[in-house]
Amino acid sequence: QVQLAESGGGLVQAGGSLRLSCAASESIFNIKTAGWYRQAPGNERELFARISREGTANYVDPVKGRFTISRDVAKTTVYLQMNSLLPEDTALYYCNIVTFSANYWGKGTLVTVSS
């Protein structure tokens, strides 16, 4: 069973940056999309950044211009560069990879942004 592991979370001051990584335990083929979700306390998990099979990235408005999703296909690793972090970015961040036959999730990494 393929496992995803997120890393790079932590405590950062508002205005700071973090880079999250999501590594798969083995190569994943036929990836349709890779995305980052987050879940803040009391809220539902939400998709905020996604990259398509062709490499097209999409973001929700609150993170546009601040966050960048990227991937290393050879390493089956997905990255999230987060700049200009805000206290409202505080959440548990999850990686998701979808293929034509499976849907993989990591266990999450906590990002806390202090004001």
Side-chain angles (χ1 to χ4, degrees), residues 60-96:
V60 296
D61 285 346
V63 308
K64 279 182 181 177
R66 301 190 298 122
F67 291 7
T68 303
I69 186 172
S70 61
R71 63 184 182 179
D72 184 326
V73 175
K75 296 180 181 179
T76 315
T77 303
V78 186
Y79 303 99
L80 183 70
Q81 178 66 42
M82 304 188 293
N83 299 327
S84 302
L85 283 161
L86 304 169
E88 48 263 45
D89 294 319
T90 294
L92 194 57
Y93 283 67
Y94 297 92
C95 174
N96 172 249

Side-chain angles (χ1 to χ4, degrees), residues 4-15:
L4 302 183
E6 302 95 338
S7 61
L11 174 63
V12 63
Q13 289 188 333

Side-chain angles (χ1 to χ4, degrees), residues 7-110:
S7 61
L11 174 63
V12 63
Q13 289 188 333
S17 298
L18 284 174
R19 179 177 169 88
L20 305 185
S21 298
C22 170
S25 58
E26 57 188 83
S27 296
I28 300 175
F29 301 98
N30 298 318
I31 294 175
K32 292 175 62 179
T33 63
W36 286 94
Y37 289 69
R38 64 185 180 182
Q39 185 169 16
N43 292 349
E44 294 187 355
R45 189 178 301 188
E46 62 171 1
L47 173 65
F48 64 89
R50 183 169 57 187
I51 187 164
S52 72
R53 180 181 180 87
E54 296 77 21
T56 301
N58 289 284
Y59 307 90
V60 296
D61 285 346
V63 308
K64 279 182 181 177
R66 301 190 298 122
F67 291 7
T68 303
I69 186 172
S70 61
R71 63 184 182 179
D72 184 326
V73 175
K75 296 180 181 179
T76 315
T77 303
V78 186
Y79 303 99
L80 183 70
Q81 178 66 42
M82 304 188 293
N83 299 327
S84 302
L85 283 161
L86 304 169
E88 48 263 45
D89 294 319
T90 294
L92 194 57
Y93 283 67
Y94 297 92
C95 174
N96 172 249
I97 292 179
V98 179
T99 71
F100 290 92
S101 60
N103 190 351
Y104 302 107
W105 288 93
K107 294 183 179 181
T109 185
L110 182 62

